Amino acid sequence: MKLVLAVIQDADATALVRVLSENAFEVTKLASTGGFLREGNTTLMIGVSDERMDDLKRFVRQTCRTRSRLVAPSVPMGEQNEGLVSDPVEVPVGGAVMFVMGVQEFVKV
């Protein structure tokens, strides 16, 4: 048995929870914030048997796509020069980060 903490972009959360629920995965959804863009994201806690781990990875991979976004670069206050104009930079966002941990015991009451 494994406990998976999947950190995903808020935009993908509803679709992934729906797909996982339709495929008999039990999911607990937690609101979280992080990443270099400081945007809201969602952390899903998912208990999964070793046999279903590949299925879980496939559903996450299919649902949580990476996309590009334009972001204005931030320059630290001490490095700003008057008249300096920085163009937005395209950065990848989305996808998923999954932390997989072994579980010694799981009790559902």
Side-chain angles (χ1 to χ4, degrees):
M1 179 63 99
K2 304 286 187 219
L3 172 64
V4 176
L5 298 178
V7 182
I8 63 173
Q9 195 171 34
D10 280 344
D12 297 323
T14 301
L16 182 57
V17 169
R18 184 179 58 250
V19 167
L20 295 178
S21 295
E22 288 171 355
N23 288 278
F25 286 94
E26 293 191 27
V27 180
T28 300
K29 180 179 169 184
L30 306 170
S32 54
T33 303
F36 74 98
L37 295 178
R38 303 285 187 249
E39 292 185 348
N41 53 38
T42 299
T43 300
L44 302 179
M45 291 178 27
I46 309 158
V48 60
S49 66
D50 292 336
E51 297 80 24
R52 298 201 64 206
M53 193 66 205
D54 288 339
D55 291 336
L56 174 62
K57 289 178 187 177
R58 181 171 41 86
F59 292 133
V60 171
R61 206 175 284 118
Q62 290 172 348
T63 307
C64 300
R65 297 286 183 182
T66 302
R67 36 183 97 54
S68 294
R69 186 155 153 222
L70 291 176
V71 176
S74 60
V75 178
M77 291 299 287
E79 298 178 18
Q80 290 181 346
N81 296 328
E82 276 195 50
L84 179 66
V85 178
S86 296
D87 293 330
V89 177
E90 191 171 328
V91 296
V93 297
V97 175
M98 297 173 63
F99 300 91
V100 181
M101 296 163 273
V103 175
Q104 289 182 333
E105 184 178 9
F106 172 76
V107 179
K108 185 174 181 179
V109 291

